[in-house]
Amino acid sequence: MSAKRRNDAIDALIAELAPLSQALTVATQRGDAAGVLDAASALRERLSLDDAPRLLDSTLHGLLIAAASGVVANHSE
């Protein structure tokens, strides 16, 4: 895949995940444990193992999303 198409695909994935990430951030800031669990679950359901390397390779934002959603923890055990 060309660098431009790869970057476009990563940008699209990050844009898709942004609302889920924002929901997790808001729930965390509010101390809403149920909201944190729901938001983390939504991220985990959306992310696939194939998404993680693309995000981790590209951005710190991706690392934070992957770590918060449990992708990294679930697949490193």
Side-chain angles (χ1 to χ4, degrees), residues 20-40 43 64 68-69:
L20 298 173
S21 177
Q22 181 63 25
L24 180 60
T25 299
V26 169
T28 301
Q29 290 171 342
R30 289 183 180 161
D32 176 7
V36 168
L37 292 175
D38 290 343
L43 276 170
L64 295 174
S69 67

Side-chain angles (χ1 to χ4, degrees), residues 25-72:
T25 299
V26 169
T28 301
Q29 290 171 342
R30 289 183 180 161
D32 176 7
V36 168
L37 292 175
D38 290 343
S41 178
L43 276 170
R44 196 171 18 256
E45 287 175 18
R46 168 52 193 90
L47 283 174
S48 70
L49 188 55
D50 292 336
D51 291 330
R54 289 188 300 158
L55 290 170
L56 295 175
D57 216 27
S58 302
T59 66
L60 176 58
H61 185 244
L63 173 62
L64 295 174
I65 290 172
S69 67
V71 168
V72 174

